[in-house]
Structures are given as C-alpha cells and as structure tokens.
Amino acid sequence: MRPILLPDPPSLSTGVPEIFEQGGAQNVVRRAVVIGNGFPGSENQCIGLVRALGLAENHLLYRVTRPKGGINEWLHWLPVGFHKKLDFILRHIYLYSRLMLRSKQSKYIASVPSENGGNVGLASILEADVKKIVTMARETYEKDGPLVVIACGRDTISIASSIRRLASENVFVVQIQHPRSHLNRFDMVITPRHDYYPLTPEAQEQVPRFLRSWITPREPPQDHVVLTTGALHQIDYASLRKSASAWHDEFAALPKPLVVVNIGWPRRNCRYGADLAKQLTDALLSVLDSCGSLRIALSYKTPEKVSRVIFKELGGNPKVYIWNGQEPNPYMGHLAWGDAFVVTADSVSLISEACSTGKPVYVIGADHCKWKIADFHKSLRERGVVRSFTGFEDMSESWSYPPLNDTAEAAMRVRSALAARGWSLRS
Amino acid sequence: MSVNDFPPSSTSAAAPLGSSVIPIVNKLQDIFAQLGSQSTIELPQVAVVGSQSSGKSSVLEALVGRDFLPRGNDICTRRPLLLQLLQTKPSSDGGSDDEWGEFRHHGGKRFYDFSEIRREIEAETNRVVGENKGVSDQQICLKIFSPNVLDITLVDLPGITKVPVGDQPTDIEARIRTMILSYIKNPSCLILAVTPANSDLANSDALQIAGNADPDGHRTIGVITKLDIMDRGTDARNHLLGKTIPLRLGYVGVVNRSQEDILLNRSIKDALIAEEKFFLSRPAYSGLTDRLGVPQLAKKLNQILVQHIKALLPNLKSRISNALFATAKEYESYGDIKETRAGQGALLLNFLTKYCEAYSSTLEGRSKEMSTHELSGGARIHYIFQSVFVKSLEEVDPCEGLTDDDIRTAVQNATGPRSALFVPDVPFEVLVRRQISRLLDPSLQCARFIFDELIKISHHCMMTELQRFPVLQKRMDEVIGNFLHEGLEPAQAMIRDILEMEMDYINTSHPNFIGGTKAVEVAMQQVKSSRIPHPIARPKDTVEPEKASSSASQIKSLSFLGRQANGLISDQGVLAAADAEKSAPAGNTSWSGFSSIFRGSDGQASAKNNLLNKPLSEATQDVYQNLSTIYLKEPPTVLKSSENHSEQEAVEIKITKLLLKSYYDIVRKNVEDLVPKAIMHFLVNYSKRELHNVFIEKLYRENLIEELLKEPDEIAIKRKRARETLHILQQANRTLDELPLEAESVERGYRTGPEPKHEELPSSRRSRTDSNGYGRIHM
C-alpha cells in the first residue's frame, strides 16, 4: 500500500510581490501549454521540461490526434492536418456509401476512435487547436504574462510553428525532438545530440553520396538549438525523493543490492528478439549471486517472444520479481530504490532516466543497435555513464558518474532565452 | 539581545556536537562495564558531501568546534579525511584535560597545536596527490583525543567537481562520486548533504548523491550553507522548510566563516556569534530558528545520535532485565538468613509449614511443579492402587493351585468316615480361606509401595530450598521416614485385620453369593451337558471338557472294574494299560490316578505299567477288599481320596468350585476396596494431617534451631555474590529508565556533573532562548 501524501499547504510568501520585480506582470511567465502527440514517450519529455521550468502546476495539455486504424495506418507520412481532413472526407464518404449501399461489411468503421478517446466525459484532453491557443495567448497576455508552448513529436510541428507565427509576441515556442527542417520557425529546439549523427564523417561514410542530401538534418545546429545527451524526462532529485517515500514500504525491506531490469521493445534502429532475451537472462542468472534482489519491469510494448523467455528463465526464482503490469507501475519506485540498473539498449528514454539517478547503469544489447542509437550508446560509454552488461559484473559494486542532467540544463537554456527577451520565470 | 557581553572564551572551543550525548554515553558505558561485557555503543559515522566549495569542511569544523581543516576557494579537501574523535578521561576522573591529535601515518606522534594539524593534513595530501589539485581516495586518518568529544567518526570528503583542473583526470567527477558513495553507502553513516544556498536545490549534487545511498532520506540532513551570500531579495525559506525537496530529517541553514574570517583567524566561537547575528537581522528567517545555525545542526545530530542510542536501548534493556530476573531468582533460591533467634525460629517454622504444604499439594496434585511428562505425587498412588494392586488381584484365578483331586480329597476328608449325603460345607470353607489368605501378601505389599512412594514424594519437596540447610534436610528426612513408618504399621495391621475378618466369617448369605441350590443346579447342568459331546470335540473349554471326559471315562472304567472283579486283574490291567496308553496322548491327568490302581494291586505289575509311575493310591484298598485275601496290606502312609469317581463326586467338585469362585470374587472386591482405603486412611491421609505436628514436635525446638539452620559456607558466599550482582543490575536498570532521551532534555543538554566548558557560552543566550520559546542547545 502506498502511503497517502498530502500536498504541501500553500506557503506563506515573504518575498517581494512579483509585480514589483523586473518590470511588471506581463514579463513573468507563469504557465505553459504542452502540445503532445498522444505518445507517452514524447509527452513525458514535454512535461519533464515543464517541471524543470517550475510550471508543473500550471500547464495545459493539448493533443494532436492523428486518425488511427484501417487505411490510416498507411498514411502516417502525410502532414497531420492534411491527414485529418482526408480522414474527415473518407469518413463521410464511407458513411454515405453505407447509407446508400446498406453495406454491413465494415472494416473501416470497426476501428474509428474519435479524437482523444471520443471526447466523452471531462477527462478527455483538448484537441490542439491553433486558433484557440493563439487567442488565449493574446487575450491573457496582459494579465498572465507570456505563454510557453512546448511541443514534441513530428505531428505537433505544424501546430507549434503556426502558433509561433501567429502570436510571436506573446509566446515562446519550444520544440522537442528535431523537426528536420525550418528550425527557425521555433524559439528553441531541444534535441538529442545523436540527431546530428548523420552530419558526422563517420555517418556520412555509411550513406551513399546521392542520398546524403535527403537525410536531415542538413545543417549543423544553430544557437537556439539545445543539444542533449539523451531524452528529457521527469526524473529529478525531488521526484526520486517523493517516489522513495511513496514506495518505502515495498522496497525498504528488500535485500540489498536491489538490481532493477528495465526492458523496452525492439524498434527500427535496434532490432532484437528472443536471442537477446536469452542473453539477458543468462547474464542475470550469473550475477544473481551478487544481487540482493532483482526486479524486472517489462514495457507494455515488449514483444511476447522476449517476455516469454524472461518469465520462463527467471519466473520461479525467489530472488526475482517480475512486474506483471498491474497498477501501480513501480517504475518510479524502481528508480528511487534500485541500486543498479540493467536496461535494454533500445530505449533512449529508459536509459536517460536511469542515468539521471547517478547509480550504476548497465546496458544490454547495444550491439544490436545502429545509426543514431549506436551513437547515443557510444557517447554514454565514453562519459562513463553506462557499462555493457556481460554477466560478469559484481552488482554490489557501486560506481558513479555525473548524472545526466539534460532536463535541468535544457530548462536553464530556456530560462536564459526567456531572460534575453526580458521575460522571467516565476520561481 | 546583545552578543557582545559574552565572556571571552578562555579554554578550548566548545564542541557542540555530542555535548549532550556524552553523559548518556558515559553512563551506558558504565552500565556495560558493570555487566562485564566489552560491547560498547557504536555510534554512526557522519560524512559531509556536497559540491566543491560548498562549505563541507567548515560545517564539519564548526561541529567539532576545532579549527584545523584546510580551506580555500578551490578544491581543498582532496583526500577523504577520517576524523576519529576519541574521548579521554577528564582530569576530574584521573585523566588529563589535554587535547591532541594523532595521524595514523605518523604513528604515535601527538599534535597539541591544531594549526599544526592543518599543516600536516595539507602536507600529507600533497605527499600523495601532488600539489596540483590531484584527488585521491586514499584516506587520511586523524584521531582527536579530548575529554570533551564523543567517540564518533566524521568523514570529510572531497567536493563534487564538474570541470577537471590541474592534475585532475577527465573523469574526476565520476571518481569523486564513486568515492563519496563508497563512504555514504554504509547504512550507519549519517549524511550531511551540503548545498550552497546560491545554487539550485533541485539539482543539488549533494542531495542527489545522498539520495542514491539513502533513498529513504532517513539518515540525510540537508545543510544549506552560504545563506549570507544569496542574491539580495531572495531567501532560502522554502528550501529550509523542505518545500522544494522534502527531506525526512529536514534542513538546517548555516552561515560559515568567510574566507576573510579565516584569514583574520577569527575563532569558531566568534563565527557562531556572527552567524546568530546574521539570522536575527533577516526578517525572512524569523520563525525558523529551529532550522538555522550550526548549534541547531548539532542539536539535530545529537538527536539522531540519541535516537541511535535509543534504538540500542531495548536490546540493552532486555539484556539487563533478563540478567536481573535470573539473578533475582538465584538470590531468592539462597533465601534470606535471619540473625535473631526469633527470626530463625520463624524461618524454621515457615520452612516446615511450607514443606508440609508442598507435601500435601503434591499428594493432592495441586503442586506448582506438576510434571507434564510423567505421573507424579498422588497420581502415582492412584496408579499403584488401580493399575498395580487391583489389576493383579483381578488376574488371580481362585482355583489356581487347586486340582480336582485336591478338591475331591478335601471333600472326602470333610465327610469323615461316612460318605456325604449332601455336598459338605467344610471343604468350601477350608478352600476359600486358603484362597483368601493369599490376598494378604499383595495387600501388604501395596501398603509398602505406597510407603515408598510417600518417602519419594517427601524427598522431592522443597528440594532446592532445602539444599541451603543440609542439617535440616537430613533431620527432616529422618523425621518423615520414622513418621511414615509409624503410619505404615497401623495400615498394615488394618490390612491384616481386614483379611482376618474375611477369613473368620464366611458369609454365605452375601447377596452376591451364588448360594448352594443355585450352585448345584448349575453344576448338574454342566455335568450333564458335558456327557453328551465327545470330550475332544470341545477344545475351547479347557477345564470343563477335561473334567467331563475324565469323569465319563472314570465311570466307564469303574463299571468295567465292577463286572470283572475276579482274578482278571492282569487282563484288566493290560486292557486298562492299553486304554491308558491310548488316552495318554490326550494328556488327561486323571488317568494316572486310575492306572495307579494296578500298581498298587500287584507289585509285579506289568512292565507296561512302568510308563505310569505315579505314586500309590489308596484305591488299591478297595480292590484288595474285593479280592478277599486273608491278610490286609498295611495302608500306605499317604492316603489319597478314593478313586471311585462317581457322577455325584464330579458334581460335588463342580459345586465346590463354583462356590469357591463366587465367594472369592466377593472377598476380592472387598479387599480391592478396603485395602486402598485403609492405606489412605492410616498412611497417606494420616501423614498429610499429622506431618506438620510431627515436624513441630520433633524439630521445632529452641535448642535445635541454630543447628538445623546452619548453612554451608559456599551458599553464604553465593548469596553474597548474587546480592551484589542484583544490586548492580537494579542500579543499571534504574539508570536506563532515567536516561534523558526525550527531545526536551536532549535539547537542554544533560548535565550530570559540572561541565563548565559547555556552560560558558550560552549563559547569555538562554535569555533569548526563553524569550522566543525555542530551546537551544548549550555549547
């Protein structure tokens, strides 16, 4: 059982009222708008930055929803705005055709979720609407100051850039993840360093000359581009502290050292299957002696062929606990209480989060990765932040490194960019 | 609130850290010493972590109250410094008030000058890592001996640095972090996470690395330094209140000495005064006094140390109370000794009474020391009565040792020269008396058993208590032995009487007695029914068929004998012999008697008759009479009953047996019932009733008391030792209970003796303390 934590009572402010600071209310940033694309991985990055800016309690989440299901799965290459219009037309055509033909066959309709889970109830998240956001930014500028817009993912690019175009006086637009082109449409772009890997001579060699001009980015980063080592996230010291106390009852009594294994899923730049799962379980079994306890968390996207091997090899071991997907997700507890981490190489965000703890992080399967992800692993290894997991490690040995601090650094850059425009963040 | 009226510091600087804990620890150490165990209280280590130049060494120094750590604006602590504070005996306790330091790398060399210690630390650092900012994880060990410190280890660690300078390797940060982690990973290490107020707390390296080692935050204290050099208009209220990052043990804000202070050689004490002045001058920090200042940090640490000690206490306490209990019990077992005559008399009387109570309760099964794995006391007596005595009696066969011949002989004897017209009474009475007399021995034996049992019980009573007084024990054993003997005699007499009574009058009118008529009826029926079937056809009834077959064949042979009475002895003999031979395998004893006829009739009896070499039988007489010879053969000296077994005779035997059995059963019931009663009355209960009187009569004599209550020397010695131990333990227990472990008293400082050094500074502070309601630690 997790203890119930009460929020802190509002603090008694003894400082100077902010209107007297730095020239007026409209220069203080008090709120943020997050534009997400519906994927937890990217929205997490935005919220991480919002937290680091100290605006966690005052942000709105909008979402861009790309039509899903049926033919839409083949239309991801379309710009999202166009895709939505197309979807609208298709829907109507389909509806009328069904009315006219009275056809019962309905492959398409079977999977037509409406935007943001059907707009049912209060829980649904607002659909990102350029006009609405721009109006809000303009109308409340006098009272609430400038608006920071943080967007992440390809589908949000057009919305974010439109907002900037229409209300550049009142907003500060931060785009997370490289938008491939037209970087000057944003006030700030935050992207991992390995997104610029294609520009390295090493990468150039791997690509035939005639294709090179098609690969983004085509130019080196400009001043308003913030390069990070990994992904942004919400893990910082404060959140770890909170999770540590929230998960105290479950983890405090576990035998130490507690080794946490986070397993992602194979993707385009890092393919693997049961072979890596077997390699992982073998290595885990051989280090099990030096572990006090071992907890394994599988991602909801982890393929069954991988999870089956893990359950088969380690499922019955008394030292091993495998999270079965039941809420609450112990992920934060793991980060707070783990003494060492083993992470599969595929996930930049999982690795970034583990590496921001400053505790030993071992990566397995880095050799399965190529292109940008391989470059990411290389940079981490060179900084001494991660080590490869071979199965010969002593898990009780604790080593450390400067923890990844991308989110805070990015937030610092945002602060200084805001300051350059004469704005300040409410702290 | 003046800070200028402090008395000038005369002696060495006070050490706020542990000042209030020292007396407690000393007391506990004393207790341990009294318990004779070497185990001492292991206090936690305190380590300071933080980024470079965040003020770690200064915090540590302020805590220790000494001024000996290298400081500067770049990396100063470049090797971990293990600072062991060792308490020495103060001069009041036979030691000296000197304070000195010793380095491990210098062996036993004593440094009395603390600035020399600083130089030595710097020199030693440089010796290993060079002068150019190199960092090493080789620790420097410094021991500080002082009467004013706690036995505690403080660790000063190099600060976390981001950018390598000088000789530092590129991975300097990772190295320092790993080094720090190796110290603070230890679960008994208190972490002081030092963060300067002018940096972002959420990204504090100190808190972050402390969190890695202590996710729970139960041993991390946040220390926020440099409150004095924060941006104008900002303050650290939210940090200190834990609103930015909650921390279980909270935060303490401190203002360390500035570089200028160090250069001007301002003492730590002055710095503490300056610190307090600073906090008082900032309205933002009003109301936070419990989170500000080095003294508060020390207080927090002290509280944690006390908590730590507190955690040890239950264990210690249970150890003491266990020892206390054991010793008290031992002491109790030695009893108390009274010097006065009257006291001794009372003791003896008490003893005797207690003994008798114990004896009675053991008998009644109400003893406190009742056994659960075997029968004891009264239960054993019951067992002897029921399972030994009654059971053996039940198993006795009343006709055991009585053959049909015996009965027949008895019947014939009883009728005298005539032949009986009816079944005679006399053989029954004679036989039944004989059987009843057999019950006497087991009954007496039973009484004896119970007597033994009582002796045993008496030995077990107050065994431990009596060990003290061997003379008394011996005398008591004598008395009780004699007394029980006295009880045994009437019990045995009674048993004899009971049996004599039973033998004296055979009550044939007893309602349970079968009676003559009924017996005849049953016997006739039995004899008749046994005649019809072939004898061997009923093998189940071992006695009856034999008897039946014997009587049947006897009758047959008798009639045979009667017909050929003249001179056909030899033939008859052969025939009879053949008959005997035939029947011999059937094992019928009555045939032997029959065959003996022929032996008696003719000395030259056929060789075949030798098979049956039974003694002569008087039956020959009849045969001789029939032979009508002239002279009578002299009758054999031993005469057996006549062999002419008639049906009548068989019935008579049967009847006698039935009567015997029936009456014997009645007597047996009576004996089974009365003998235990007699034993209980004359022996057991009598002893219970009278023992006390007997004891008093025999032992409670003025002239005997002293002799009886003489104890052996070793007991006296043991008692004395137990009494001493008991006293020590009681003392320790009381001390433990009185330990001032409440926050309030810890805050005030626990002073047992005069501790002038801790007194001098706060004298003026107390007024302030009282005015704002916050207790402050005394330094």
Side-chain angles (χ1 to χ4, degrees), chain A residues 76-204:
Chain A
H76 281 182
W77 49 273
L78 284 173
V80 69
F82 183 71
H83 190 175
K84 282 166 93 171
K85 286 194 182 94
L86 183 68
D87 180 55
F88 180 79
I89 296 163
L90 284 175
R91 236 178 238 263
H92 281 81
I93 292 172
Y94 174 78
L95 220 67
Y96 289 126
S97 66
R98 207 173 72 141
L99 279 174
M100 285 189 284
L101 299 172
R102 305 207 176 276
S103 150
K104 293 226 164 68
Q105 185 192 17
S106 57
K107 194 190 171 193
Y108 178 80
I109 202 86
S111 49
V112 190
S114 328
E115 289 169 351
N116 287 322
N119 290 338
V120 190
L122 293 167
S124 60
I125 291 156
L126 298 169
E127 180 67 17
D129 183 337
V130 177
K131 268 188 206 142
K132 224 165 84 189
I133 297 172
V134 166
T135 321
M136 179 186 82
R138 282 190 184 140
E139 283 177 356
T140 57
Y141 179 75
E142 285 290 311
K143 192 166 133 270
D144 293 332
L147 183 70
V148 170
V149 176
I150 299 169
C152 180
R154 190 160 59 93
D155 292 348
T156 63
I157 290 173
S158 61
I159 302 242
S161 56
S162 309
I163 293 171
R164 163 117 196 295
R165 203 178 62 236
L166 295 171
S168 58
E169 294 299 309
N170 310 329
V171 296
F172 187 88
V173 177
V174 180
Q175 182 71 30
I176 300 170
Q177 290 186 341
H178 201 279
R180 302 197 184 228
S181 54
H182 305 295
L183 269 64
N184 49 8
R185 289 181 188 170
F186 305 96
D187 290 304
M188 180 168 281
V189 172
I190 300 172
T191 187
R193 195 166 283 115
H194 59 248
D195 272 354
Y196 281 88
Y197 176 67
L199 290 180
T200 59
E202 190 188 331
Q204 300 264 315

Side-chain angles (χ1 to χ4, degrees), chain B residues 244-363:
Chain B
T244 325
I245 296 169
L247 202 57
R248 194 169 290 197
L249 297 181
Y251 294 84
V252 178
V254 300
V255 176
N256 287 324
R257 287 189 295 175
S258 62
Q259 200 61 36
E260 188 192 66
D261 292 338
I262 296 165
L263 291 176
L264 293 174
N265 253 339
R266 265 189 213 142
S267 78
I268 290 204
K269 205 170 273 188
D270 294 340
L272 290 177
I273 294 162
E275 184 190 41
E276 184 168 2
K277 211 169 162 187
F278 170 80
F279 288 133
L280 288 176
S281 66
R282 297 291 155 111
Y285 295 127
S286 68
L288 287 178
T289 29
D290 58 334
R291 293 162 202 259
L292 291 172
V294 170
Q296 287 300 322
L297 178 60
K299 188 183 106 183
K300 240 184 179 126
L301 272 174
N302 285 345
Q303 279 172 347
I304 290 162
L305 295 180
V306 168
Q307 285 297 330
H308 180 83
I309 294 167
K310 238 182 182 172
L312 294 174
L313 283 188
N315 181 27
L316 181 61
K317 213 164 182 160
S318 75
R319 263 175 64 191
I320 289 178
S321 59
N322 280 349
L324 196 62
F325 181 72
T327 316
K329 209 166 177 195
E330 191 192 342
Y331 181 67
E332 215 170 82
S333 78
Y334 298 136
D336 45 352
I337 193 79
K338 292 282 183 332
E339 302 301 329
T340 62
R341 185 134 257 210
Q344 285 185 337
L347 180 68
L348 179 63
L349 196 61
N350 191 19
F351 232 105
L352 298 177
T353 311
K354 272 201 176 145
Y355 185 95
C356 293
E357 273 167 16
Y359 178 80
S360 299
S361 62
T362 310
L363 277 178

Side-chain angles (χ1 to χ4, degrees), chain A residues 8-12 14 16 236-238 241-242 244-245 248 252 336-337 339 356-359 398-403 405 408, chain B residues 173-174 177-178 181 185 202-203 207-212 214-217 220 235 237-238 242-248 284:
Chain A
D8 285 329
S11 65
L12 183 100
T14 54
V16 197
D236 60 11
Y237 177 69
R241 267 291 180 213
K242 284 208 173 89
S245 64
H248 172 271
W337 282 92
D339 291 305
S356 63
T357 63
K359 299 185 231 191
S398 67
W399 43 274
S400 191
Y401 49 86
N405 206 11
Chain B
E173 188 182 352
R177 278 174 179 274
T178 304
L181 216 52
K185 266 260 149 158
N203 293 309
L207 288 172
Q208 186 270 329
I209 199 162
N212 282 2
D214 171 30
D216 228 0
T220 306
D235 61 65
R237 268 188 76 91
N238 280 343
K243 285 189 180 153
T244 325
I245 296 169
L247 202 57
R248 194 169 290 197

